[in-house]
């Protein structure tokens, strides 16, 4: 088999065989196929796409390229959730204790943030003492006793994807739906959960800017999961608006705690209940309505908040911070963003709001960058809200005073106003089963 012939075949728009896909992925991972040939193939895939069969084969081969987490001891109770990434997405912090307090098992590996999207592991590090790295024995033991553990992704999970993703990142070949689907699903399959819920974001702050592409990505991932014997479903959710009211690590943890204490009842809570219901329905084998009711009861009855404390304590975190959120790191400098006009906010460029938060110190441009855990934005007005000129529309937080003005300008420029009233945005768009 020759890489040249495989590139040519894909360039002509033909379907590659399972053997050819395995030859490419394994050969590239071992260093036998050079970057320039792999880049050419990835570009041909961007133009000519891949069939479900090709995508599935690529996914399995990447999932098999490194360590695989064996969660079989938890049977059908093991469940995972994946979000395709967005601005202000703190759902893992809320869903994990809800679902664990209802009897499902979450053994979760999460990533760090890069660019304008945040990462759960960074958020958890805002809790003093929280250990994002546990030994295998500690990880499993905590899932057995507490029902939940969230740690950083190990280096050897789907290493083929890691190597291919690094190449895609510098060859303008990231935004191909089959490549994204196989990349995400290879890591989910290697992570071992029997049931998987996908939160596929659509909008200005998401990988997929329109709903149709998000639906196609979701359907592709659901098809791959099913082929592999997993229970899987997806929600398409709105990323044309930041999720909730906080963006930035410590600020998002504080907001998540408020939801778990039932102090916040908006769209974020609704989305978390819907995702929890999807996870519980599959892992406990119950109807969606029954699962939703159980999740709601766990939240309203305080069991989910108690489970949060148990989980954080088990991982070394300072639980006093949960009861008293004033103990979270506070930024030395703040700036109120003032509305330059009167009217209804009709559009929030969510990626730009993520970028403003990143500039304040909450995000990374390069993997090695250190983040300011206390930096970020608390949003006071969102799409659909009426504001008057001079109103405070957001508060910016940073430990570096000179970042505030630039972030404020980006924030103001990210908003559009209309004279006419516009509806508030819904977070949940549709389900893909
Ligand atoms: N996230 C991933 O893990 N892979 C992609 O290709 C895109 C987003």
């Amino acid at each position: 088999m020759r890489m040249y012939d495989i590139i040519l075949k894909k360039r002509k728009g033909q379907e590659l065989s399972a053997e050819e896909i395995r030859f490419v992925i394994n050969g590239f991972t071992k260093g036998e196929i050079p970057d320039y040939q792999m880049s050419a193939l990835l570009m041909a895939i961007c133009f000519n796409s891949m069939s479900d069969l090709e995508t599935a084969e690529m996914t399995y081969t990447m999932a098999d390229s490194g360590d695989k987490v064996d969660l079989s001891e938890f049977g059908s109770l093991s469940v995972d959730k994946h979000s395709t990434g967005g601005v202000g997405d703190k759902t893992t912090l809320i869903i994990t204790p809800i679902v664990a307090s209802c009897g499902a098992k979450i053994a979760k590996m999460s990533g760090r943030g890069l660019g304008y999207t945040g990462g759960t592991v960074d958020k958890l590090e805002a809790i003093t003492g929280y250990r994002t790295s546990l030994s295998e024995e500690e990880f499993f033991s905590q899932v057995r006793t507490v029902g939940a553990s969230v740690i950083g992704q190990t280096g050897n999970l789907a290493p083929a994807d890691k190597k291919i993703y690094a190449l895609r990142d510098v060859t303008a070949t990231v935004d191909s739906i089959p490549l994204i689907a196989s990349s995400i699903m290879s890591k989910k399959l290697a992570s071992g959960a029997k049931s998987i819920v996908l939160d596929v974001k659509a909008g200005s702050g998401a990988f997929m800017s329109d709903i149709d592409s998000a639906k196609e990505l979701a359907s592709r991932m659901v098809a791959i999961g099913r082929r592999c014997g997993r229970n899987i479903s997806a929600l398409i959710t709105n990323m044309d608006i930041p999720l909730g009211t906080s963006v930035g690590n410590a600020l998002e943890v504080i907001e998540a705690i408020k939801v778990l204490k039932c102090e916040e009842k908006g769209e974020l809570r609704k989305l978390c209940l819907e995702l929890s219901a999807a996870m519980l329905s599959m892992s406990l084998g119950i109807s969606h309505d029954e699962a939703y009711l159980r999740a709601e009861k766990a939240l309203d009855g305080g069991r989910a908040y108690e489970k949060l404390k148990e989980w954080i304590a088990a991982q070394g975190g300072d639980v006093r911070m949960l009861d008293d959120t004033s103990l979270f790191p506070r930024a030395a400098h703040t700036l109120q963003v003032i509305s330059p006009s009167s009217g209804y906010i009709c559009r929030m460029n969510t990626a730009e709001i993520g970028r403003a938060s990143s500039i304040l110190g909450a995000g990374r441009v390069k993997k090695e960058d250190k983040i300011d855990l206390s930096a970020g934005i608390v949003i006071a007005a969102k799409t659909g809200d009426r504001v008057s000129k001079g109103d405070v529309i957001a508060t910016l937080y940073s430990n570096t005073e000179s970042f505030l003005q630039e972030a404020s300008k980006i924030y103001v420029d990210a908003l559009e106003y209309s004279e006419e009233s516009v509806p508030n945005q819904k977070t949940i768009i549709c389900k893909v089963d």
Side-chain angles (χ1 to χ4, degrees):
M1 218 174 272
R2 291 194 319 156
M3 186 62 179
Y4 178 93
D5 300 325
I6 294 174
I7 298 169
L8 184 62
K9 196 170 171 185
K10 185 43 73 184
R11 201 196 79 191
K12 289 180 177 167
Q14 293 164 7
E15 186 180 50
L16 302 180
S17 69
E19 292 70 34
E20 285 166 332
I21 300 262
R22 285 197 292 272
F23 172 82
V24 169
I25 304 297
N26 293 331
F28 180 65
T29 311
K30 283 190 233 147
E32 292 163 4
I33 293 172
D35 281 4
Y36 55 84
Q37 284 191 311
M38 190 65 184
S39 307
L41 180 65
L42 290 168
M43 192 56 85
I45 292 172
C46 281
F47 286 124
N48 291 326
S49 193
M50 284 200 291
S51 67
D52 279 347
L53 267 173
E54 289 173 298
T55 312
E57 198 55 45
M58 184 165 192
T59 311
Y60 309 148
T61 313
M62 294 199 296
D64 284 342
S65 67
D67 298 341
K68 287 168 108 176
V69 185
D70 180 4
L71 297 179
S72 56
E73 69 171 280
F74 304 112
S76 60
L77 290 178
S78 66
V79 59
D80 197 358
K81 184 227 46 154
H82 179 81
S83 154
T84 56
V87 177
D89 185 356
K90 66 283 287 174
T91 54
T92 296
L93 306 173
I94 302 166
I95 288 162
T96 299
I98 295 179
V99 170
S101 70
C102 292
K105 300 285 186 188
I106 313 253
K108 189 163 175 55
M109 292 189 183
S110 277
R112 292 194 179 275
L114 193 59
Y116 63 77
T117 62
T120 302
V121 168
D122 295 320
K123 292 171 201 178
L124 285 165
E125 281 181 350
I127 304 171
T128 310
Y130 188 92
R131 293 168 61 211
T132 54
S133 169
L134 298 181
S135 70
E136 202 178 308
E137 181 42 39
E138 288 172 315
F139 181 57
F140 275 84
S141 155
Q142 189 177 315
V143 177
R144 278 180 212 120
T145 54
V146 178
S149 180
V150 180
I151 58 172
Q153 215 157 349
T154 69
N156 206 33
L157 201 77
D161 169 63
K162 199 170 176 186
K163 197 165 172 204
I164 294 169
Y165 191 88
L167 191 60
R168 287 168 57 208
D169 210 16
V170 292
T171 54
T173 52
V174 169
D175 54 356
S176 142
I177 289 179
L179 289 178
I180 297 174
S182 60
S183 165
I184 292 174
M185 287 306 293
S186 66
K187 287 169 287 207
K188 287 292 114 182
L189 296 180
S191 302
K194 175 72 184 165
S195 302
I196 302 164
V197 173
L198 304 166
D199 178 0
V200 181
K201 310 280 189 196
S204 59
F207 250 112
M208 298 293 126
S209 54
D210 63 277
I211 294 173
D212 286 346
S213 312
K215 279 188 187 162
E216 192 191 336
L217 177 62
S219 306
R220 291 269 194 161
M221 293 196 286
V222 166
I224 296 168
R226 295 237 164 94
R227 264 176 194 275
C228 234
R230 309 296 167 101
N231 305 314
I232 183 162
S233 65
L235 284 184
I236 309 294
T237 67
N238 187 352
M239 207 15 88
D240 257 334
I241 188 167
L243 186 56
T245 52
S246 305
V247 184
N249 299 283
L251 295 169
E252 290 189 40
V253 181
I254 294 170
E255 187 181 2
I257 292 168
K258 282 190 186 153
V259 172
L260 285 162
K261 286 181 177 167
C262 298
E263 292 167 8
E264 298 235 352
K265 304 233 167 176
E267 287 288 310
L268 172 61
R269 170 188 153 106
K270 258 193 229 158
L271 173 60
C272 289
L273 282 173
E274 216 32 84
L275 290 168
S276 300
M279 292 166 85
L280 288 171
S281 155
M282 289 193 287
S283 55
L284 303 183
I286 55 178
S287 71
H288 170 273
D289 291 356
E290 170 66 17
Y292 193 95
L293 222 70
R294 287 197 202 180
E296 199 171 34
K297 256 181 150 172
L299 188 55
D300 291 337
R303 274 190 296 121
Y305 180 58
E306 285 309 311
K307 186 56 81 179
L308 171 76
K309 287 195 191 172
E310 201 184 336
W311 156 36
I312 299 300
Q315 255 171 280
D318 183 353
V319 281
R320 288 172 311 162
M321 296 169 80
L322 310 180
D323 284 332
D324 177 4
T325 54
S326 71
L327 297 173
F328 274 88
R330 293 273 151 174
H333 307 283
T334 62
L335 180 71
Q336 292 186 326
V337 183
I338 303 300
S339 178
S341 357
S342 296
Y344 292 91
I345 298 177
C346 64
R347 186 173 134 77
M348 300 177 92
N349 183 332
T350 306
E352 282 299 282
I353 293 174
R355 190 163 75 88
S357 173
S358 196
I359 282 172
L360 291 166
R364 295 185 182 81
V365 178
K366 296 187 277 21
K367 268 199 283 217
E368 312 67 56
D369 291 347
K370 218 177 136 34
I371 52 179
D372 175 352
L373 290 169
S374 61
I377 303 171
V378 173
I379 299 165
K382 295 178 82 170
T383 306
D385 291 342
R386 186 180 159 76
V387 294
S388 299
K389 187 174 175 179
D391 282 355
V392 175
I393 48 174
T395 305
L396 310 183
Y397 295 80
S398 182
N399 279 314
T400 310
E401 197 171 8
S402 59
F403 294 161
L404 293 167
Q405 286 303 339
E406 184 186 354
S408 175
K409 179 167 179 348
I410 293 170
Y411 194 92
V412 167
D413 290 347
L415 304 190
E416 284 173 31
Y417 292 75
S418 127
E419 299 271 301
E420 310 285 312
S421 78
V422 281
N424 290 110
Q425 300 248 326
K426 289 265 168 285
T427 300
I428 300 169
I429 297 169
C430 63
K431 283 187 191 174
V432 176
D433 282 321

